[in-house]
């Protein structure tokens, strides 16, 4: 994943976190963007997303 993409994903995670959304709403946003499957797993198109999401949780 390119550094630019990683920065954009981190920005999205911070934006979702700063808006005090519920976990369900945040997950639905990621699903509608095509980043997560309907079961909540990362799609094959974004294999490094788990690393980004775990970093944003810190």
């Amino acid at each position: 994943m390119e550094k630019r993409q990683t920065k954009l994903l981190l920005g999205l995670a911070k934006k979702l976190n700063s808006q005090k959304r519920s976990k369900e709403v945040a997950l639905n946003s990621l699903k509608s963007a095509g980043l997560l499957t309907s079961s909540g797993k990362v799609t094959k198109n974004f294999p490094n997303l788990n690393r980004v999401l775990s970093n944003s949780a810190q």
Side-chain angles (χ1 to χ4, degrees):
M1 183 179 299
E2 294 180 21
K3 287 183 181 182
R4 181 176 177 272
Q5 291 174 322
T6 303
K7 287 181 182 181
L8 289 172
L9 288 171
L10 282 172
L12 173 62
K14 287 178 184 178
K15 181 179 176 181
L16 289 173
N17 190 35
S18 69
Q19 292 178 354
K20 303 297 182 199
R21 294 183 178 197
S22 69
K23 182 178 178 179
E24 183 178 332
V25 172
L27 288 175
N28 285 337
S29 295
L30 294 172
K31 288 176 187 176
S32 68
L35 300 172
L36 298 179
T37 64
S38 59
S39 63
K41 298 190 184 232
V42 177
T43 61
K44 292 179 183 177
N45 295 330
F46 301 95
N48 294 320
L49 185 58
N50 282 327
R51 181 174 47 91
V52 173
L53 292 175
S54 65
N55 285 338
S56 68
Q58 296 175 354

